[in-house]
């Protein structure tokens, strides 16, 4: 599973981007709000989720981990697939979307193309009470809180998306940087290397 990509935007269209990662082009579908902020030549980190069906493998990407978490949460609702989840995130940011679910605001949700009032009510019915608002809203606020070292935070979130606990991921990143004399805050070009080193540290500790 591809959990995160770090590379340069090769091209942009209405549906998403082609991201060049060390010479390999990944076709990534994204919320329109994210796409509108990107341009060719820009270096970005995308939090990704791969959806495999009988006739396609589609990679979805997001500029924040909060968006990815909400994308995965929405698909737990019966009848809600990745396309509708992406449409919702193109209409509302994750914190407002989570608040709409918590408040039972079907009108706000139904503004997403392809959903409708019944679909919005179904999302509220199945997610209200089980949606972790602190996780979604806290993640949305994370970039400003961790601006001192966003590179390390990207690595930690990437490790967490692979199933590691936050504290273990943080410790592994710190050891990798210390043992290999890598300066922090991490430069963007150091993120992939530190991710590999941290994974090695974690695997060694199993």
């Amino acid at each position: 599973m591809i959990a995160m990509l770090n590379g340069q935007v090769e091209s942009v269209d209405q549906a998403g981007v082609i991201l060049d990662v060390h010479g390999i082009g990944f076709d990534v579908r994204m919320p329109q709000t994210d796409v509108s902020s990107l341009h060719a030549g820009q270096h970005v980190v995308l939090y990704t989720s791969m959806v495999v069906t009988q006739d396609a493998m589609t990679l979805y990407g997001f500029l924040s981990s909060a968006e990815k978490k909400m994308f995965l949460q929405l698909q737990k609702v019966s009848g809600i697939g990745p396309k509708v989840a992406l449409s919702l995130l193109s209409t509302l940011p994750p914190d407002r979307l989570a608040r709409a679910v918590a408040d039972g605001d079907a009108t706000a949700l139904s503004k997403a193309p392809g959903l409708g009032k019944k679909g919005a009510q179904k999302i509220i019915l199945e997610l209200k009470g089980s949606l972790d608002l602190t996780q979604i809203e806290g993640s949305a606020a994370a970039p400003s809180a961790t601006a001192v070292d966003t590179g390390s935070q990207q690595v930690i979130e990437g490790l967490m998306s692979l199933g590691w606990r936050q504290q273990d991921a943080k410790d592994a990143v710190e050891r990798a940087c210390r043992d290999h004399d890598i300066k922090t805050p991490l430069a963007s070009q150091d993120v992939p290397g530190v991710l590999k080193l941290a994974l090695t540290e974690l695997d060694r500790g199993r």
Side-chain angles (χ1 to χ4, degrees), residues 131-161:
L131 191 63
D132 190 343
L133 278 175
T134 58
Q135 183 184 50
I136 300 297
E137 294 179 332
S139 296
S144 59
T146 59
V148 174
D149 193 357
T150 55
S152 290
Q153 186 62 29
Q154 288 166 6
V155 176
I156 292 169
E157 290 180 349
L159 294 169
M160 289 171 62
S161 71

Side-chain angles (χ1 to χ4, degrees), residues 91 122 139 162 175 196:
T91 305
K122 193 170 189 180
S139 296
L162 294 173
R175 285 197 303 271
K196 292 178 182 178

Side-chain angles (χ1 to χ4, degrees), residues 94-114:
D95 54 341
R96 286 178 57 194
L97 209 162
R99 180 54 59 189
V101 172
D103 293 343
D105 189 353
T107 301
L109 296 179
S110 62
K111 291 179 181 178

Side-chain angles (χ1 to χ4, degrees), residues 112-191:
L115 183 59
K117 201 68 173 281
K118 288 185 178 180
Q121 291 170 342
K122 193 170 189 180
I123 289 172
I124 292 169
L125 180 65
E126 295 192 28
L127 288 186
K128 190 173 184 178
S130 64
L131 191 63
D132 190 343
L133 278 175
T134 58
Q135 183 184 50
I136 300 297
E137 294 179 332
S139 296
S144 59
T146 59
V148 174
D149 193 357
T150 55
S152 290
Q153 186 62 29
Q154 288 166 6
V155 176
I156 292 169
E157 290 180 349
L159 294 169
M160 289 171 62
S161 71
L162 294 173
W164 298 99
R165 294 190 309 117
Q166 183 177 15
Q167 189 59 51
D168 291 339
K170 183 179 178 182
D171 292 343
V173 171
E174 290 176 353
R175 285 197 303 271
C177 292
R178 182 179 63 247
D179 295 347
H180 296 272
D181 295 322
I182 299 172
K183 293 181 180 180
T184 56
L186 286 182
S188 58
Q189 63 266 26
D190 290 331
V191 170

Side-chain angles (χ1 to χ4, degrees), residues 41-53:
Q42 185 175 354
H43 188 277
V44 294
V45 173
L46 299 182
Y47 301 91
T48 58
S49 174
M50 180 174 284
V51 176
V52 180
T53 61

Side-chain angles (χ1 to χ4, degrees), residues 34-109:
D34 284 354
V35 171
S36 64
S37 69
L38 299 176
H39 58 80
Q42 185 175 354
H43 188 277
V44 294
V45 173
L46 299 182
Y47 301 91
T48 58
S49 174
M50 180 174 284
V51 176
V52 180
T53 61
Q54 288 184 337
D55 52 7
M57 288 193 302
T58 307
L59 192 61
Y60 294 89
F62 310 91
L63 291 176
S64 73
S65 59
E67 286 180 299
K68 178 180 175 178
K69 288 172 185 175
M70 179 59 81
F71 178 74
L72 297 174
Q73 286 271 12
L74 288 167
Q75 291 176 79
K76 293 179 181 179
V77 178
S78 57
I80 300 298
K83 290 183 180 180
V84 173
L86 198 68
S87 177
L88 277 160
L89 286 165
S90 294
T91 305
L92 293 170
D95 54 341
R96 286 178 57 194
L97 209 162
R99 180 54 59 189
V101 172
D103 293 343
D105 189 353
T107 301
L109 296 179

